[in-house]
Amino acid sequence: MDHIPYSCQAIEQADIDAVVSVLRAPFLTQGPEVVAFEQAFARAHQVPHAVAVSNATAALHLACVALGVGPGSLVWTSPNSFLASANCALYCGGDIDFVDIDPSTRNMSAAHLAAKLVAADRLGRLPHVVIPVDFAGLPADLAEIRSLADRYGFKILEDASHATGASYRHNPIGSGFADATVFSFHAVKIVTTAEGGVVTTHDPVLARKLELLRSHGMTRNPDEMDVKDEGAWYYEQQVLGFNYRLTDIQAALGRSQLARLDAMHAARVALADRYDRLLEGLPLRLPARLADRISAWHLYVVELLPEARLSRAEVFAGLRSAGIGVNVHYIPIHIQPYYRRLGFAPGQFPHAENYYAHAISLPLFPKMTEDQQDRVVSALRGLV
Ligand SMILES: *Cc1c(COP(=O)(O)O)cnc(C)c1O
């Protein structure tokens, strides 16, 4: 039987042609294709600035630096995320803490956030940045988090690595609510550049900081220099930056993929709707549906309910041996050995831990066929 992967990129001839044409062009990296991709991404997300970088981990790192995270600053994120959502604070010398999830959305709970802010305010230890994650592509409670940000003075850095194409209250993710929003273009994500990421923001000062930081902190703009008339060769380093540039090869792939975002999203929505129908009545908790937001459907995660016949490990192994590429997203970050050595311990964020104990991500990708989906459903039905 053919193997069904849990995710698979959708590469078309147009993508191949776009990449090949860059290989024949004068610029291979950080040239006109990067600018064109940034402009196309910003337009599609109804936001004035999009800064492209080498991957979303770099994007999170730079956004933390640009938002002022440094030694002594506190950053909070969701424990139900990929490691990078928390590591970015530590790269800057900041301290990390977590806010437990809402079990129905699997996203950071706005109620837990509000309660933790009250306690932190009393201790004089408020976060500088909060990083909500749009888990599986479902937007976080952005309006509630925005009003808490305005009240307590923290910045919102949204990790929308799963959420390209998602929308919240009829606005594309990345267009508002957050101070900066990060997207990933890793091969398993919604739109791919193989490796790549972007930060969107409304703030032109923040966008310019990100541009400087991604390329060594160097500027060739006389307005930003200490010395003005040195000569045409002249550049200045004004801040400590990195080499986090995206290549033109990748940007061309990204722009070509972005042109098909609506069609790829529609295919994911149709498959998710079909999973909902086919899995109804089984002892599974299905993904939440909320009237005010549309998921990008990066992942379709089911949780086994207590009535399920077999354990999560048995169901997982059964699906894998049937050639079905299931996965688990995510092992809570705070129980990783590295984070335990920082002082975190199991039991601290029980909703994320309980969710993790029962979760399985089913295959979902734009080119998945109904036959493949039927195979997943019948294998799962047999096991639960
Ligand atoms: C994939 C992912 C990242 C990191 O993305 P890269 O582009 O691989 O660096 C960060 N956060 C979340 C939630 C992710 O899923």
Side-chain angles (χ1 to χ4, degrees):
M1 247 187 309
D2 286 348
H3 174 76
I4 304 174
Y6 100 91
S7 175
C8 180
Q9 66 272 22
I11 301 291
E12 303 289 354
Q13 188 61 41
D15 299 334
I16 295 167
D17 294 344
V19 167
V20 169
S21 72
V22 174
L23 291 172
R24 300 205 162 95
F27 282 93
L28 289 183
T29 190
Q30 184 82 43
E33 278 297 334
V34 168
V35 176
F37 178 48
E38 289 175 335
Q39 287 172 351
F41 199 87
R43 208 176 313 115
H45 290 79
Q46 298 171 22
V47 64
H49 306 284
V51 179
V53 293
S54 48
N55 55 67
T57 305
L60 287 164
H61 180 192
L62 292 193
C64 280
V65 175
L67 291 170
V69 175
S73 19
L74 189 53
V75 175
W76 292 356
T77 190
S78 168
N80 180 34
S81 188
F82 184 59
L83 307 166
S85 307
N87 288 345
C88 58
L90 304 180
Y91 296 154
C92 307
D95 295 327
I96 191 81
D97 200 357
F98 302 92
V99 179
D100 208 353
I101 63 168
D102 174 336
S104 68
T105 63
R106 302 145 174 181
N107 280 331
M108 176 185 286
S109 154
H112 285 303
L113 176 61
K116 197 175 171 92
L117 286 164
V118 169
D121 196 18
R122 221 178 278 133
L123 296 170
R125 190 83 175 104
L126 285 168
H128 185 67
V129 171
V130 172
I131 307 180
V133 180
D134 303 319
F135 176 74
L138 184 71
D141 293 333
L142 297 171
E144 290 85 344
I145 298 172
R146 177 78 261 165
S147 69
L148 291 167
D150 293 342
R151 175 147 166 220
Y152 289 97
F154 59 83
K155 303 284 187 197
I156 304 172
L157 170 54
E158 183 179 358
D159 184 346
S161 292
H162 297 184
T164 311
S167 56
Y168 180 82
R169 301 191 176 174
H170 307 294
N171 295 309
I173 283 302
S175 64
F177 291 101
D179 295 281
T181 304
V182 163
F183 297 85
S184 173
F185 310 125
H186 181 270
V188 301
K189 302 285 164 66
I190 306 257
V191 159
T192 190
T193 61
E195 294 276 1
V198 108
V199 187
T200 63
T201 181
H202 279 272
D203 179 351
V205 177
L206 189 74
R208 182 61 190 149
K209 274 189 197 163
L210 293 165
E211 286 173 351
L212 292 175
L213 287 166
R214 83 173 152 191
S215 194
H216 308 284
M218 276 168 59
T219 181
R220 291 179 183 277
N221 176 354
D223 295 341
E224 296 171 337
M225 292 181 181
D226 290 357
V227 178
K228 306 284 180 199
D229 311 312
E230 192 73 9
W233 68 88
Y234 188 66
Y235 56 85
E236 280 184 1
Q237 180 183 350
Q238 286 285 353
V239 293
L240 183 62
F242 305 85
N243 178 355
Y244 283 168
R245 293 186 299 260
L246 191 72
T247 67
D248 262 30
I249 305 167
Q250 293 167 302
L253 177 56
R255 191 153 64 98
S256 175
Q257 289 253 309
L258 192 62
R260 296 198 310 280
L261 176 59
D262 289 347
M264 291 198 288
H265 181 242
R268 287 178 180 275
V269 169
L271 288 162
D273 288 349
R274 196 161 179 273
Y275 264 139
D276 273 9
R277 286 198 302 278
L278 297 174
L279 297 174
E280 206 189 313
L282 296 183
L284 301 170
R285 184 205 297 274
L286 304 183
R289 301 276 184 161
L290 297 169
D292 64 350
R293 63 202 84 175
I294 297 173
S295 179
W297 294 108
H298 168 54
L299 301 174
Y300 190 95
V301 180
V302 298
E303 286 163 79
L304 297 186
L305 295 176
E307 310 87 87
R309 191 167 61 82
L310 298 178
S311 71
R312 193 273 301 272
E314 291 164 330
V315 174
F316 187 94
L319 290 168
R320 278 275 176 102
S321 63
I324 295 166
V326 282
N327 249 317
V328 173
H329 302 87
Y330 284 103
I331 304 164
I333 299 172
H334 69 284
I335 67 172
Q336 291 288 348
Y338 179 81
Y339 281 85
R340 290 192 199 201
R341 291 198 288 273
L342 295 181
F344 293 100
Q348 277 186 294
F349 304 101
H351 292 302
E353 293 166 36
N354 183 58
Y355 156 78
Y356 161 62
H358 301 102
I360 300 180
S361 304
L362 302 182
L364 179 63
F365 48 93
K367 290 189 173 179
M368 188 179 193
T369 64
E370 293 194 351
D371 282 352
Q372 286 178 317
Q373 193 175 30
D374 291 342
R375 251 183 68 201
V376 174
V377 170
S378 76
L380 186 57
R381 188 190 301 274
L383 293 161
V384 302

